[in-house]
Amino acid sequence: MDSIGDKPVRVRFAPSPTGYLHVGGARTALYNFLVARKAKLNGDEKASFILRIEDTDAERNRPEWTEGIISSLKWLGIDWDEGPYFQSQRSDLYAKAADFLFNSGNAYWCSCTREDVDSRTKGSATPGYDRYCRERGVAKSQNSVLRFKVPLNGSTTVNDLVRGAVNVENKNIEDFVIQKSDGSPLFVLANVVDDIDLSINLVIRGEEHLPNTFKMALIFDALRALYSNSEATDSPTYAHLPLLVNEKRQKLSKRRDRVAVEDFKEQGFLPQAMINYLALLGWGPGDDREFMSLDELTELFELEKVNKAPAFFDEKKLRHFNGVYIRNLSDEVFSELSMPFFDKAGLRFDLEKWKIMVSVVKERVETLDDVPKMVDFLFLESVEIDENSKAKVLNQEKSAEILFLARESFGKATWDTDVLKNQMLAICEKLDLKLGKAQAPVRLAITGRLIGPPLFEALVALGRDATIRRLTSALEWFK
Ligand code: GLU
């Protein structure tokens, strides 16, 4: 999608600030961003990605959500060419459109209460509003809402780049509300008015909005005369992105699943890994390539290749991606990025010890949050020993001998990874044990756990005194 007809591509991300930026929203933002970037790359210099905050619902919106959404987008590296526009500052436009729709006979005032409608439609096969006020000439009042007068005949078709042509009979669309009794616009109205006003020609958004799109197409047609001298007389092209689901194939939900981009940031996911993974939720380059930089994504992304089928948001796979991206960082950058996670863990951090561990830890973590957990034993006065692991070690043959010999030889060895390893190999030979087996009691004594970073680097970082002290207290287990 390099241009729309002969017009520059204009796409937008239009979040409602009712919560954190959700991974589904982030994918929508990313696809819009990629489309605009790719169009620019292909010579459409004026291609624009617009950010619009749909904050008309004063009860559900909060400024801190808007700030959170904006900072999450920035963190991901998704930036926009225009905006943010705020719908809360554009109410005149919606009021003008609502007046126009009323004056042109495309909308009418309705004074029915919900109870009125319910009592009339109970048991009826067609749910929703029964068009009761459609021809009653109800006057505008404090209690009336403005409804769109949906044509009773014909059908409305939406041409969707992902789903093809989708059609609905107009008689199945209710006369929906476009303006509340307090004069504020409904989402469908404000959304269309802004898409027209901002000359949006390609709407890329989540599949949950597909049913709204028929209503929007009707509003769009009815508003065309109001905007007849503007550029936006053709309705936009649509692309509705597939649903994101969890491992049980349930729609991803913020109550059940971890979905906030901000949470992933706090857990130590890297933005470049997130972007790469989000791009693959419903799209792929058509070969087995999975790891792509933003520039590669820009080059390869094609809206026409987006799937219809729900996309599984697989946190395990995201973790794997993140691990790969972490391993690709330089030791310096990895170390720098780990610092806030040490702060958060509240450890008495020691840079000299950490420097010894940086490269081996980088190879073994999937998130930055894993980092302090892997090396916490270096920064603690004494370690807490995991009870299950201790039971295993106590049951293991020759554990006491291993600890005893290790303390003896480590007491006088040169403090160096190779030397310590050789000492350990000598113990193995003496006790007729494999290295892995012999390391277990030592690792537990030193780190409190049976799994962790390579042992000899850990010993070197910890230092001789602390090592001997921990081996000595482990020997107490056997008394
Ligand atoms: N404000 C809508 C939402 O957050 C977006 C609708 C659209 O992209 O058209 O779901």
Side-chain angles (χ1 to χ4, degrees), residues 143-185:
N143 300 319
S144 56
V145 295
L146 191 62
R147 288 189 182 271
F148 190 83
K149 201 169 186 177
V150 176
L152 298 177
N153 302 315
S155 65
T156 299
T157 303
V158 170
N159 287 311
D160 191 282
L161 289 178
V162 179
R163 333 214 119 231
V166 213
N167 184 278
V168 80
E169 300 271 325
N170 291 337
K171 66 175 193 291
N172 294 328
I173 305 176
E174 71 169 353
D175 285 354
F176 52 92
V177 178
I178 53 177
Q179 193 181 54
K180 294 187 203 165
S181 52
D182 65 4
S184 61

Side-chain angles (χ1 to χ4, degrees), residues 382-449:
S382 62
V383 286
E384 198 181 317
I385 307 291
D386 173 62
E387 284 302 323
N388 287 335
S389 309
K390 184 171 161 185
K392 275 191 206 146
V393 164
L394 289 176
N395 261 330
Q396 185 187 312
E397 241 189 313
K398 302 180 190 167
S399 288
E401 288 97 315
I402 297 167
L403 290 168
F404 183 82
L405 292 174
R407 184 178 61 171
E408 204 178 59
S409 53
F410 293 172
K412 41 190 193 292
T414 306
W415 210 247
D416 166 271
T417 44
D418 289 341
V419 176
L420 295 174
K421 184 171 180 188
N422 285 332
Q423 302 274 351
M424 204 61 207
L425 287 169
I427 296 173
C428 289
E429 203 165 306
K430 191 158 177 186
L431 300 178
D432 190 24
L433 287 171
K434 289 234 157 51
L435 184 61
K437 262 249 138 81
Q439 283 191 35
V442 179
R443 181 188 292 286
L444 182 66
I446 300 302
T447 68
R449 297 180 283 260

Side-chain angles (χ1 to χ4, degrees), residues 336-404:
E336 190 68 38
L337 291 175
S338 300
M339 289 307 139
F341 292 84
F342 281 117
D343 288 345
K344 198 170 77 180
L347 295 165
R348 271 184 45 210
F349 181 72
D350 175 335
L351 187 61
E352 291 311 309
K353 290 180 177 171
W354 169 235
K355 274 189 191 155
I356 298 171
M357 302 301 288
V358 175
S359 59
V360 295
V361 172
K362 193 181 84 177
E363 296 301 316
R364 286 166 176 79
V365 288
E366 288 190 318
T367 69
L368 296 171
D369 213 31
D370 295 343
V371 175
K373 290 182 201 143
M374 189 170 275
V375 292
D376 57 353
F377 63 92
L378 292 175
F379 310 115
L380 298 167
E381 201 41 45
S382 62
V383 286
E384 198 181 317
I385 307 291
D386 173 62
E387 284 302 323
N388 287 335
S389 309
K390 184 171 161 185
K392 275 191 206 146
V393 164
L394 289 176
N395 261 330
Q396 185 187 312
E397 241 189 313
K398 302 180 190 167
S399 288
E401 288 97 315
I402 297 167
L403 290 168
F404 183 82

